[in-house]
Amino acid sequence: MHSLEQPSLIGAQLLHDPVLNKGTAFTEKERDVYRLRGLLPPRVNSQDQQVARVLENLRRKDTDLERYIFMMALQDRNETLFYRLILDHLEELVPIIYTPTVGRACQEYGHIFRRPRGIFISLEDAGRVANLLCNWPYKEIRVVVVTDGERILGLGDLGADGMGIPVGKLSLYTACGGIDPTLCLPVTIDVGTNNENLLRDPLYIGRGHPRVCGQSYDALMKEFVDAVEGLFPHALIQFEDFGNKNAFRLLAEYRDKTCAFNDDIQGTAAVVLAGLHSASKLTQRSLADQRYLFFGAGEAGTGIADLLVAEMKSSGLSEKAARNCCWFIDSKGLVVSERRDLAKHKVRYAHHHSFMTDPVSIIGAVRPAAIIGASGQPGVFSEAVLKLMGGINERPIIFALSNPTSKSECTAEAAYRCTGGRAIFASGSPFDPIVIDGRKLVPSQGNNVYIFPGLGLGTVAAESRRVTDAMLLAAARTLAGEVSKSDLAEGRIYPRLARIRQVSVKIAVAVAKAAYDQGLTAQREPLDLEAYIRDQMYIPTYTDYA
Ligand code: NAI
């Protein structure tokens, strides 16, 4: 999967190629061979010196949005240095290049826009989508992240300005999963936007018409998937931040036809399932032995429940019994069978129970071990909710997953304070550690970044034709297995982000193994699968061109 090559470019063109450029790190010999003499300052820097310089500049910026803009400019200038910097400072930089800052960046995308990255496909391109993909400068693509911008994080319809998301996600595939950046393709399908502010904004980068749906939307998506399959036969397609309706439809349409998954539905599910596996170690209760109350019955919530049900079934529970463990509240109230307004994906979790709307009364009736927030509604885990969870559970599981931070169902501080520090807490966006009664508690971040880079690496390394539940379950179990006793003692239910590359390799091995076991690939399983996968990983150090 490597794309290393001796540059065919020379002089200024080489300096302006972000994949090949090394900036001040070009050696004396390379400066002669590639006609760079005079174009660079005389002193040759090491990559470490370059990292120190960019870090100093980055930290001088006043806001996270400015840091984001700085990072994007670095990516456009010198990709190797960009990835070296991220890998060396993951905990500091993942929140800059991804959630929460990327959300802010997408809200401002048309205003901070400097240089395009990725392929934009609009309705006007119907009939020539393959030609557009051929315009991309790299011909071997293994991971495609595609959005239509309708539901960017918890921020709603950002239309073509949502391109920041596929770009950011793919940066994480490379940084955390070691997928070579030239094998990654960000795509935005621009079918319009219903965001009035954007339609009025002269600097908006997309087509200025309302969102188109129906037949022409479906035909464009089909043409896109077919074109990817035709041009890049071993590529994984990740559907990202599609609106609720299309997300479920597209996943149902393509998951059994091509190598595709939806990160909001399935990636979230795997990362949360891993968190629940870890929490089980703290509560000493099995997954099947407790109830889960979801706030939010959308992509994230029902995706988590579906995978949780698959996991409980794999341990011997019947489908019905497993579903009976999962309860939902949506914008209207408790999801129950007497309701006639339920979308299809909610019906399978509608239980025979009286309809209720007050979350505190619902918790009193359902008595869940865990509340899982995927509602995009800040504050729905009120003090009363949290205190009641602490009252009925020794170690209440509180997952406030909505992004960005401003949408979180509660803060880490509230979760710990209202439960006397007993909560097992995870959130979608990061929170700082809290000290309660002299004890340091580290909130966990149920970030999909723990799953999708390893899932992607394993899928493409094995050249799997599909992404199956078995692969997702393997990823979740492996992630939970990477949490150490000392992590758990501090309240962490995920490994430290600094270990993400090692964790991604382990996940990739488990995912690839599941693909081989299910006969999803024409490849023979390598004798040393881990070595085979490690050998394919991109490492952001400079190659000697001379
Ligand atoms: P969605 O729009 O598909 O679903 C939202 C759901 O929340 C709907 O079922 C809606 O009826 C419900 N809801 C609205 N108000 C509510 C209330 N007051 N109480 C209970 N439910 C209510 O959105 P999706 O994709 O499921 O995402 C939801 C949130 O989860 C977003 O904020 C997103 O950022 C977050 N998320 C977090 C991830 C992570 O942390 N790893 C990954 C994916 C999503």
Side-chain angles (χ1 to χ4, degrees):
M1 287 202 296
H2 291 290
S3 66
L4 292 184
E5 50 183 79
Q6 295 301 97
S8 55
L9 304 175
I10 55 163
Q13 279 186 322
L14 180 55
L15 296 181
H16 290 146
D17 184 308
V19 174
L20 300 172
N21 182 27
K22 304 187 199 179
T24 56
F26 277 111
T27 61
E28 298 286 357
K29 195 162 175 213
E30 286 169 336
R31 291 172 189 223
D32 285 331
V33 174
Y34 290 96
R35 299 217 218 140
L36 297 168
R37 275 226 183 268
L39 297 178
L40 287 162
R43 179 172 297 199
V44 175
N45 286 135
S46 66
Q47 196 184 43
D48 285 348
Q49 288 169 328
Q50 291 182 311
V51 167
R53 180 183 291 128
V54 285
L55 200 59
E56 190 180 307
N57 278 300
L58 178 78
R59 288 181 177 160
R60 219 181 266 149
K61 302 285 174 202
D62 290 329
T63 65
D64 282 345
L65 186 61
E66 285 177 54
R67 287 182 199 105
Y68 174 88
I69 294 168
F70 178 90
M71 289 301 290
M72 291 306 104
L74 178 61
Q75 189 177 20
D76 286 340
R77 203 164 66 232
N78 181 338
E79 265 191 356
T80 319
L81 185 56
F82 170 81
Y83 285 113
R84 173 86 273 148
L85 182 70
I86 296 173
L87 263 185
D88 289 355
H89 301 274
L90 273 168
E91 308 221 348
E92 179 177 349
L93 292 177
V94 168
I96 301 295
I97 59 163
Y98 206 65
T99 182
T101 312
V102 74
R104 181 97 192 89
C106 287
Q107 288 177 308
E108 304 269 338
Y109 216 65
H111 294 257
I112 62 172
F113 181 80
R114 275 131 170 100
R115 214 182 152 170
R117 178 174 282 267
I119 291 283
F120 292 89
I121 299 170
S122 42
L123 280 168
E124 288 72 3
D125 298 313
R128 58 175 182 210
V129 171
N131 296 354
L132 267 65
L133 295 180
C134 288
N135 288 343
W136 187 247
Y138 305 102
K139 301 303 167 208
E140 194 196 337
I141 295 297
R142 303 303 297 276
V143 185
V144 178
V145 177
V146 58
T147 188
D148 73 355
E150 190 174 1
R151 200 238 55 188
I152 295 298
L153 303 172
L155 301 168
D157 184 351
L158 297 183
D161 283 357
M163 182 57 117
I165 298 291
V167 169
K169 273 261 147 105
L170 285 164
S171 299
L172 296 180
Y173 267 105
T174 300
C176 305
I179 312 250
D180 189 297
T182 62
L183 303 177
C184 297
L185 175 62
V187 175
T188 288
I189 308 280
D190 179 10
V191 290
T193 177
N194 294 336
N195 183 326
E196 293 294 333
N197 290 335
L198 293 179
L199 290 174
R200 275 194 300 270
D201 183 351
L203 295 185
Y204 172 55
I205 61 169
R207 302 263 182 191
H209 58 73
R211 218 164 248 289
V212 172
C213 53
Q215 224 180 355
S216 38
Y217 177 94
D218 289 348
L220 189 66
M221 286 307 303
K222 180 170 185 323
E223 188 185 342
F224 163 73
V225 172
D226 288 348
V228 170
E229 275 195 324
L231 291 166
F232 316 122
H234 296 303
L236 162 70
I237 300 176
Q238 178 181 318
F239 294 112
E240 180 72 30
D241 284 2
F242 282 78
N244 202 307
K245 232 170 106 202
N246 288 328
F248 286 114
R249 275 186 334 109
L250 291 169
L251 184 61
E253 173 71 23
Y254 292 110
R255 66 178 299 173
D256 296 325
K257 288 191 185 144
T258 190
C259 183
F261 79 108
N262 178 303
D263 190 50
D264 307 296
I265 300 173
Q266 297 164 289
T268 306
V271 82
V272 174
L273 179 58
L276 291 172
H277 278 306
S278 297
S280 288
K281 290 182 198 153
L282 291 167
T283 59
Q284 304 285 325
R285 289 173 70 180
S286 80
L287 286 184
D289 180 29
Q290 47 199 6
R291 280 182 168 178
Y292 307 85
L293 178 60
F294 294 83
F295 285 61
E299 294 173 46
T302 53
I304 298 163
D306 287 349
L307 198 65
L308 180 58
V309 165
E311 183 61 298
M312 289 193 269
K313 274 171 68 184
S314 79
S315 65
L317 216 60
S318 72
E319 172 128 6
K320 188 159 179 279
R323 287 202 193 286
N324 278 340
C325 296
C326 301
W327 292 70
F328 280 86
I329 305 177
D330 68 6
S331 58
K332 305 224 172 66
L334 192 60
V335 171
V336 290
S337 49
E338 73 183 44
R339 279 177 61 178
R340 290 289 161 262
D341 59 343
L342 295 175
K344 202 168 141 205
H345 62 274
K346 301 182 191 178
V347 172
R348 54 186 181 268
Y349 294 105
H351 303 305
H352 289 293
H353 196 280
S354 52
F355 178 61
M356 302 167 83
T357 53
D358 171 43
V360 173
S361 312
I362 293 172
I363 290 175
V366 174
R367 300 187 69 80
I371 50 175
I372 298 170
S375 63
Q377 303 298 315
V380 293
F381 291 175
S382 62
E383 294 217 349
V385 161
L386 295 169
K387 282 187 177 149
L388 183 55
M389 282 300 289
I392 59 178
N393 293 288
E394 177 73 30
R395 299 294 311 267
I397 300 169
I398 313 285
F399 288 178
L401 299 174
S402 288
N403 293 316
T405 318
S406 61
K407 301 271 183 184
S408 191
E409 283 77 8
C410 69
T411 61
E413 190 272 335
Y416 291 131
R417 181 171 41 77
C418 295
T419 59
R422 289 177 291 123
I424 301 170
F425 178 82
S427 54
S429 296
F431 282 102
D432 290 333
I434 310 279
V435 177
I436 289 211
D437 300 332
R439 202 154 66 94
K440 183 179 163 203
L441 298 166
V442 186
S444 299
Q445 192 189 352
N447 194 327
N448 295 23
V449 75
Y450 283 116
I451 291 287
F452 68 79
L455 177 68
L457 180 63
T459 303
V460 300
E463 296 184 354
S464 178
R465 287 186 290 267
R466 301 283 180 272
V467 178
T468 59
D469 274 355
M471 291 156 78
L472 291 156
L473 292 176
R477 289 177 199 144
T478 307
L479 175 57
E482 289 298 301
V483 182
S484 67
K485 282 199 174 127
S486 63
D487 289 332
L488 288 172
E490 278 190 324
R492 290 178 198 267
I493 53 170
Y494 297 105
R496 282 157 211 267
L497 204 51
R499 290 189 51 238
I500 187 72
R501 273 229 168 187
Q502 292 107 285
V503 171
S504 293
V505 172
K506 299 279 181 212
I507 292 176
V509 170
V511 165
K513 182 93 186 66
Y516 292 118
D517 289 349
Q518 288 189 293
L520 296 169
T521 162
Q523 271 187 10
R524 287 250 305 272
E525 183 177 336
L527 282 178
D528 186 342
L529 185 52
E530 182 167 332
Y532 168 74
I533 285 175
R534 279 188 190 282
D535 189 47
Q536 302 188 39
M537 289 173 75
Y538 166 82
I539 298 167
T541 47
Y542 293 132
T543 315
D544 188 353
Y545 300 148

